[in-house]
Every structure is written in C-alpha cells, then in structure tokens.
Amino acid sequence: MSENSAQQPASEFAHHLIRELGLKEGIAIGLGTMIGAGIFVLSALAAERAGPASTISYVIAGLICLPIAQVVSELATGMPRAGGSYTFITEAMGPLAGSVVGPGNWLGLTFASGFYLLACGEYISLVVPIPPWVSSLVVGLLFTVLNYRGAKLTGSVQNFVVVILVVILLVFVGVGFFQINTRLYTPFAPLGWGVVIGNVGLIIVSFTGFEKISTISEEMKNPGRNLPLAIIGSVVIATILYACILLVLTGTFPRIGIAQRDAPLVEAAGQMVGPFGTSAMLAAAILATLSSANAAIMASSRINYGMGRDGVLPGWFNHIHHKHNTPSRSILVTGALGIGLSLIGQAETLAEISSALFMVSYALLCLSVVVMRHSRPPWYKPAFRVPLYPVLPVVGGLLCLTVIFTMAPDSRAAGLGLVFASLVWYVVWVRRKANVEGEFGPLWARERPLEGVIQAAADVAHPDGTEIIIPLLGDADLGPVVRLATRLAQADDQHMLVLTQINVLPPQTPLDFAERRFQGQTKGTQIEALVQQAGDADIPMRVMRHAAHGLASGVLAVTGLRETVDLILLDWHGPLSAGQIYGHPNKMILQEAHCNVAVLRERNLDRIRRILIPAGGGPHARYGLRLAARLAHQGDVQLTLLRVTRPSAELNMEVEERALKDLAEDVIGDMAAQVEIKVVVHADVVEPILEEAQAGGYDLLIIGASNEWMVKSLLVGAIPDTIADRAPCSVLMVRRFEPTGIFTIRRIIRSVRG
C-alpha cells in the first residue's frame, strides 16, 4: 500500500436499498394473484350469465386491462418506488386524488381478500368435512398471523406454485379441447351481447394482479425492461389462459345450472381424466385461492402502511413491529376486515365492489400519465412510454369508468359510495394532515427513485481498483475471513475491502422502512472490530448496509450493481454438504454470483505457512492457484500443487508432472518455480487429498467448487463438499466466474456509459 493510502480513513459507512427481484418473480407475483379465485369461482358465474360467449367477456376484460398495464408500466419505470397506484397517483395529482385511490386500493384489495378467503373455504370444505365459513375463518386467521410475524413464501416456492397452477390449467385446456361438445356452443350468446358486456364488471377483478407488480417496482432488477415485460406479459398470459378455460368449461357443461355446481372446474377435470383429474384440479384450486388470499392481505397492508406514512391515514398505521419488523397494525386491520367480509358469503357482490374500486383507481392512473407528460418534471424519465399517447390512456380511462356501469346496481352503489366516503375523509382529515403535495411538492426530494441511490452507490465505489466483498450473514465470526481478505488485498494495492451487512426485512415490510432503521442503527461491536482489524493491516474497508428480503438475493443484487467487485469472500456459515436443503445462502451465491466467489471453512487458521491446491485442470482450480499465489506473495508460504490421477496403462508420471508445472507457469508465472508438484495415482479422488492434507501439516486447502449436476450434489455430496467436511485443516472453496458473451458486452456498455 502506498503512503498516501495509509493516511486515508480506514473505513466508510454507507447504506443503500437494493433490487433483488427479476422478471420471473414479477410474472409470478402477477399470475400468482390473477390465477386464483377469479377463475375458479367467477368462471362458472360468468358462464351461467352469458353462456359460451363468456369467453368474449374475458377477452374484453383483458383488452381493457392491456392499456392500463402499459400506463402502469410507464409510471412504474418513471417512478420506481414501492407503493403502486397509490404512490403514482399521489405523486402526479396530489393528496386529493391520493385520498381517493389509497383507500380505494386498500379497500379493493381487502374486498378481494374476503372474496378469496370465501372461495378458499368453499374448496377446502370439499376435502375437509367442515362448514366453508369455518375454513375461511381459519385460513384468514392463519394468514394474518403469518404476515404479522413476517413469515413468507420464498420466491422459489412462489414461482413453483405458479408453475404448478399454470401447468395444471394448460393440461386441462389441452385435454379439454379434444372432448368439447360443440353442440353446447349453440347458441353462442343465448341471452344477447349486452349480458356479455355486463359480465366484464364481474370478472375483471380476476385481472387486477398485474397492478400489484408495480408495488414492488422498487425491488426489481433492471426495471426499465422487467417491469413492462412482467406487467404486460401477465395480462396477455392470463387473458389467453382464461379464454381457453372458458371455451373448455362451456363446451363441457350446459349453461343452465353450471354456477350451482360445487366446483365446476374440478368436476370438468374429473369428467375428462377421472379421479386423478379431480384431485389435481382441486389441489390447484386450493393452492390458487390460498396464494391469492395471502397476496391480497400482504399487498393491502403495504398500502395501509404507506397511507399512514404520508398522513392520508392516522400515523397509528405507520407502525413497524419492533420484533417482527412488519407493519403489524396495518396487517391486523386488513386481516380482520378480510375475514369479516368473507363471512358475508356473497362472492359476486365482493368481486364487483372490488372491481369498482379498482376501476376508479385505473381511470386515475390514466389521468396521472397525462399529467406527468404535460408537466414534464426533470426527474420523470420512464424507460417505457405508452404508445399512441394520449389516445391510449384516455380511451383506457374511459373504458374503466364504463365498466363500473356494467355492474349490479347495489355493487355499483357500494363501490362509488366508498369513493365518496374517501372524498369526505379528505375534507375531514387528509387536507390538514397529509404530508404529500403531488408533482409540484417536495415528495420526490424526500424519497427519490432507487435508481439514484444505486448510482450513488456506484459513484462512491473504489475509483482506481477492485473490491473484495465480505457479506455479514447472521452472527458468524468474520475475523478469520477478514484476515484472509487483508492478506489477499496486501498482494495488490488496487484492492479494498467492502463489508456488506444485509438487513433482511419481511416481504410484508416496504424497503423504505429500512432508511429509518438504518438511521438509528449503530455500527456494532463486531463491525467496529473488523474495521479496526483491516485498518491495522493498512487496508481500507468500507461498510455498506443494505435492505433486502433475503440474504442470498441481497448479496447477489449488491454485487450485480457494482462493476468493481472482484471477489465475494464468505464465511462457511453452516453445512454445505450432502442432504442440505437447496436455498442455503452460500450455495446460492456460489452458483449464481456474477463474479468470483470463495467460501472459507475455518479451522484454527491463525497463520498460513503451507497451502495445498488439488488441481484437476478446471477453471475453478486455476483460480484457486492464483489466490494461493496472492496469499504467498510475501515469500513465506509453501505451495503444493496436487493432482490425483486414476491408474491406467497409458499413465506417464513425467508427463503428468510436466503438465502440472505448465499449469503453474501459465497461471502464476515466475512463482511457479517455488511450487511443489505432486502426482498421486489412486482409484479414488477424495482419500489421497485428505491423506496429503493430514500428512503434510497444511494450514489451508484451496479447492475448486463443483460443477456437478445439482441433484447429484444434493443427494450424495459433491467431491469439494466432502473434502471440506473431512479435511483436517481450513478449506477455501473457490468458484471462478466465467461471463457469457452477452454478459461481457453488457458490462462493456455499462462501463462506457459510466
């Protein structure tokens, strides 16, 4: 290190919010909400009203939602912040509009959650002999408690559920098309086309999931691309799937009496495939309604929390539980209302009231995009723009208002009555208490888009060199990891250390809460000790705090945003060997990080005098040798390069040793002369490595991570995992990142833009 660098501060502290959700998670959130009670309950009601022409009702509803999806995509990429419609409309049009759309969205989702719980209870009662209302009550209480405590379905589980649902419904459609009774299609619209149009107000609630994707816009990677694709793609996929399902359903049962069947889709699947079809579709229905109910409770509580933060509701709602870190009061209120509504037992009424509230919200969204385009604030730079502006948003907004008048009079009156009550609430409370002022107010300065935070994080990155990221996961002792990192950094004065603390928040909690949490957070005894440890070695260390909804996804998002990251250095942090459940943070980081990764399993690594590097010729072993050379840069460390080769008639020891020497010269150059070369002939790979580690008194064994098929690795254990478990010394498992051509081009473009 240079003299000047030694005089610089040993550390810097910074905190940032990060993006960790991708396109598949966005689509899963949208479809996971849409493919729920809307199709499993409302499809039969729509079919009885309009017959086979109910298929057209779903197509019309999808076409109405398509321009709204494009409007939401523009607003979400122009204002990538948590909150969805409430945030966008309040930002564009001020607290008056916010006081309408906020309660409207909250109550719309709450009515929807009541509808989902009601449907869930009906399907569970087909399996468990208890009244449907008891099932609805139990499920509602369960989800309220789980959300209150911060429990979650991981992204992978959510994706799995959505895939299972889509596959079951696609099989239903595929099999059903070959068994359709075309005579049931005559007449196609038995009660006229007016009823077909009137159906839209009932079933459009089935499409409202696409807008929920915007509520997590602040947490999506590459929002300019992923948000529009997820939002618009969800609407297109759902429209096609719904239309096909209605064609099959109305070609299987006569229109008269179809809504009186206990579970029409389940019965249709049973009629086509038999008992297996019945079981599969019933399982899909229960999964879908459970997923929709949970998503509605979680999303509506976020809106509640946001309104409390902005003064649209009393600050009592803007409360985060000190232990669970969830908006607990908002969750309790939302859960209680949803449970109460489910006990009413009026599915059609709940669906239409929810639809009416969402239609008002969608109309205001269309107006908001016009306001933003007209006012042209300098910070509004959406990556996606609505085509055919202003025609498309104007027509979309008018269509949404028209849908309200297709609903039953009572439902329409209830929905519009709640909107009027929101206006009264504005006069009584919001006008005096709200701390938001619309597009011309200071809201943006108070909470700018996350892209600016990301750019700020990139701007303060080490300007002249590369970084070694050390994630702080759990309560692990990072002392040995930092000692190893400082030794690696000392070999190259262009390296600095970045200690990354991931603050994991429950999915129920918006990430903007992390800002307040960070402000009141002290450095912590361990962090201060680690910073001092790096400073004693004359190595600069930055400490960055990030908020995320998962440890591994948080680390991956951080490193994905920082072009200067050379290596992620992890503590072992629990077992990685055979039989583990996939999802361990270290395993996920090893497999998915877009940079080099090393995991240290420390066993009394007080000093490093001898390093063993098993080499099979793969890219990870070559990188391990390079790291070993950096650790031996001071010349006081003996490196041993070991190759285990199986017995063979063609085996030539001289050739094998020469190959190892060539490998060392190719990787570490002149230092290769100091490397001890060993070739061992053995039928097994693991045992000779362990015997050498034991006999040679090595302090550290550096081994490349496995490229074995994942299922095999989980069931029987990969070779590196087995060696790490049984080795008598410390083990450093390394994985060298090999970017694809597309990734390399993208990095070059980013660096040029920077």
Side-chain angles (χ1 to χ4, degrees), residues 264-478:
L265 284 181
V266 175
E267 292 182 37
Q271 183 171 307
M272 295 172 190
V273 184
F276 177 78
T278 299
S279 301
M281 188 61 76
L282 183 56
I286 294 174
L287 272 178
T289 52
L290 285 172
S291 176
S292 295
N294 184 55
I297 291 174
M298 185 170 73
S300 56
S301 64
R302 277 193 174 199
I303 297 172
N304 222 4
Y305 164 83
M307 289 192 292
R309 175 197 61 197
D310 293 338
V312 175
L313 285 179
W316 183 85
F317 288 93
N318 183 33
H319 170 77
I320 297 294
H321 194 281
H322 70 282
K323 179 180 178 182
H324 303 306
N325 287 325
T326 58
S328 51
R329 294 172 181 170
S330 296
I331 290 170
L332 288 176
V333 171
T334 298
L337 282 175
I339 292 170
L341 291 168
S342 72
L343 299 180
I344 295 174
Q346 298 294 321
E348 291 180 71
T349 302
L350 291 173
E352 288 192 332
I353 293 175
S354 178
S355 293
L357 293 169
F358 279 117
M359 291 306 102
V360 173
S361 170
Y362 292 170
L364 288 174
L365 279 171
C366 293
L367 182 57
S368 295
V369 95
V370 174
V371 169
M372 299 306 292
R373 289 278 193 102
H374 182 72
S375 61
R376 297 179 180 176
W379 46 261
Y380 184 70
K381 298 177 181 178
F384 175 89
R385 289 184 175 269
V386 176
L388 302 177
Y389 175 87
V391 175
L392 203 62
V394 170
V395 171
L398 291 175
L399 286 173
C400 288
L401 294 177
T402 302
V403 168
I404 297 175
F405 293 95
T406 68
M407 300 174 181
D410 291 346
S411 301
R412 183 195 317 148
L416 295 179
L418 289 171
V419 172
F420 178 75
S422 298
L423 292 174
V424 173
W425 178 251
Y426 170 79
V427 174
V428 173
W429 175 274
V430 180
R431 186 175 56 177
R432 295 180 294 106
K433 300 289 188 178
N435 53 29
V436 292
E437 301 180 24
E439 194 273 308
F440 299 104
L443 179 63
W444 197 256
R446 176 173 64 84
E447 192 176 7
R448 63 180 179 167
L450 191 59
E451 287 300 319
V453 180
I454 292 171
Q455 187 59 50
D459 291 342
V460 299
H462 194 48
D464 301 319
T466 53
E467 300 171 333
I468 299 175
I469 298 286
I470 306 171
L472 178 58
L473 305 179
D475 300 324
D477 177 15
L478 289 185

Side-chain angles (χ1 to χ4, degrees), residues 156 580-584 587-588 591-592 710 714:
S156 57
Q580 67 154 51
I581 299 174
Y582 176 69
H584 189 289
K587 204 75 168 181
M588 293 178 66
Q591 292 164 345
E592 300 178 22
M710 184 178 297
L714 290 178

Side-chain angles (χ1 to χ4, degrees), residues 570-576 584 586 599-601 724-725 731 733:
L570 296 156
D571 176 77
W572 198 262
H573 196 66
L576 287 175
H584 189 289
N586 283 351
V599 186
L600 175 64
R601 181 158 195 169
D725 278 341
V731 176
M733 186 184 296

Side-chain angles (χ1 to χ4, degrees), residues 13-55:
F13 278 79
H15 52 77
H16 307 285
L17 308 183
I18 57 178
R19 300 184 185 274
E20 55 182 320
L21 302 181
L23 176 60
K24 62 182 180 181
E25 286 83 9
I27 292 178
I29 289 170
L31 291 180
T33 305
M34 284 191 278
I35 303 176
I39 191 63
F40 284 98
V41 175
L42 297 181
S43 57
L45 296 172
E48 179 147 324
R49 284 185 177 187
S54 56
T55 301

